[in-house]
Amino acid sequence: MGSHPERLPNPTTPAGREGLDAVLARPDRAVVALDFDGTLADIVPDPEQARAHPGTVDALAALAPKVAAIAVITGRPAGVAVRYGGFAGVPGLEHLVVLGHYGAERWDAVTGTVRAPAPHPGVAAVRAELPGVLHGVGAWNGTWIEEKGQALAVHTRRAQDPQAAFESLRGPLGELAAQHGLIVEPGRLVLELRPPGMDKGVALTGFVAGLDAESVIYAGDDLGDLAAFAAVEKLRSEGPDGIPGLLVCSGSAEVPELAERADLLVPGPAAVVDFLAALADRL
């Protein structure tokens, strides 16, 4: 991100323009919600090496005091997203909240603490059985299990044929998850086994309602963000009492389903950071 952010881009849809106009008109009643991986951080082969794109913290610190709140909504544990994002102890980020595990966990910048439920018992059972399932379907070579505390994720990006490995695992992992009361959340060459009942749409809707917000921006890049997109679409469709919203897609090559529903397309995390900085500058 440069010292002079680009001009604030114009959404391509009427609903998106209405959403952005509402944010600009009353920023103190606006929520800005963002995915982490692929939106604030570049996708990397090893998820443990993911870090917020340079300039992210500066852009968020410039924007956060001007809006009702900023929420980072991620499938990662909240504490991990805080650490990889560099969000803790940053002046200006007092209005930042991280909703981890699709909203099951919450970290508040003001207190610096994480609130989390007890782990689902099915996660421990899947943890024990998952290596055997991968070996049994011949998908052990090149796949990688990410430990997420409240969930487990199987990545195929390192496999010889990442997409073929991904497709071959969808059925077996779905069966394994169902046996232990979990669900499978597909993403960009990753399958996450996690407890049901929470998704980014539920998390976003609850967060917006809790603040009595009058407008919302959501930016994401992956299949898991479709639920948040649907939540914004529902909020802004509720007649006179609806909440205007802007949907931003970070990149579009791997997840065209998200790009087709977005009001604004940007090419990746660097452009998301520029958008946030330009928004802060405009406000």
Side-chain angles (χ1 to χ4, degrees):
M1 184 182 71
S3 58
H4 300 286
E6 295 182 2
R7 181 175 62 86
L8 193 61
N10 194 34
T12 59
T13 67
R17 290 191 288 272
E18 181 182 355
L20 181 57
D21 287 344
V23 171
L24 296 175
R26 294 202 63 182
D28 61 317
R29 303 300 300 276
V31 165
V32 177
L34 309 149
D35 171 47
F36 186 74
D37 292 280
T39 302
L40 295 180
D42 290 305
I43 298 293
V44 293
D46 183 353
E48 293 185 358
Q49 301 305 313
R51 296 295 182 272
H53 195 277
T56 297
V57 171
D58 289 343
L60 292 177
L63 180 59
K66 301 175 181 179
V67 297
I70 294 178
V72 176
I73 307 178
T74 174
R76 287 184 181 272
V80 171
V82 171
R83 189 163 66 251
Y84 290 1
F87 301 141
V90 177
L93 285 188
E94 291 79 11
H95 288 187
L96 177 70
V97 170
V98 175
L99 302 176
H101 283 306
Y102 302 91
E105 294 184 349
R106 175 171 174 143
W107 175 87
D108 288 273
V110 173
T111 63
T113 59
V114 174
R115 288 180 287 166
H120 189 290
V123 174
V126 166
R127 182 180 293 115
E129 296 178 30
L130 188 54
V133 172
L134 295 178
H135 180 76
V137 298
W140 184 256
N141 187 29
T143 58
W144 183 75
I145 301 173
E146 180 185 4
E147 173 60 60
K148 304 181 77 170
Q150 302 270 354
L152 295 156
V154 178
H155 295 261
T156 66
R157 193 170 293 273
R158 299 176 185 169
Q160 185 174 2
D161 188 335
Q163 190 62 42
F166 176 86
E167 295 299 336
S168 72
L169 285 171
R170 294 188 73 152
L173 295 189
E175 293 174 6
L176 176 64
Q179 289 169 12
H180 299 289
L182 305 182
I183 62 171
V184 173
E185 180 77 40
R188 293 166 68 176
L189 300 178
V190 59
L191 294 159
E192 182 170 317
L193 294 83
R194 62 178 178 85
M198 287 299 297
D199 60 38
K200 291 183 179 181
V202 173
L204 179 60
T205 299
F207 189 75
V208 169
L211 291 173
D212 197 22
E214 295 182 357
S215 61
V216 59
I217 294 174
Y218 185 81
D221 77 304
D222 206 345
L223 291 172
D225 297 303
L226 285 170
F229 269 40
V232 173
E233 290 166 345
K234 184 175 187 299
L235 287 171
R236 63 189 187 186
S237 70
E238 294 176 343
D241 298 324
I243 295 176
L246 170 65
L247 295 170
V248 181
C249 178
S250 171
S252 59
E254 288 191 29
V255 190
E257 301 97 320
L258 207 68
E260 291 167 0
R261 293 168 64 173
D263 306 305
L264 178 64
L265 297 174
V266 297
V272 172
V273 171
D274 283 340
F275 168 75
L276 296 172
L279 180 60
D281 187 61
R282 176 74 172 272
L283 296 176

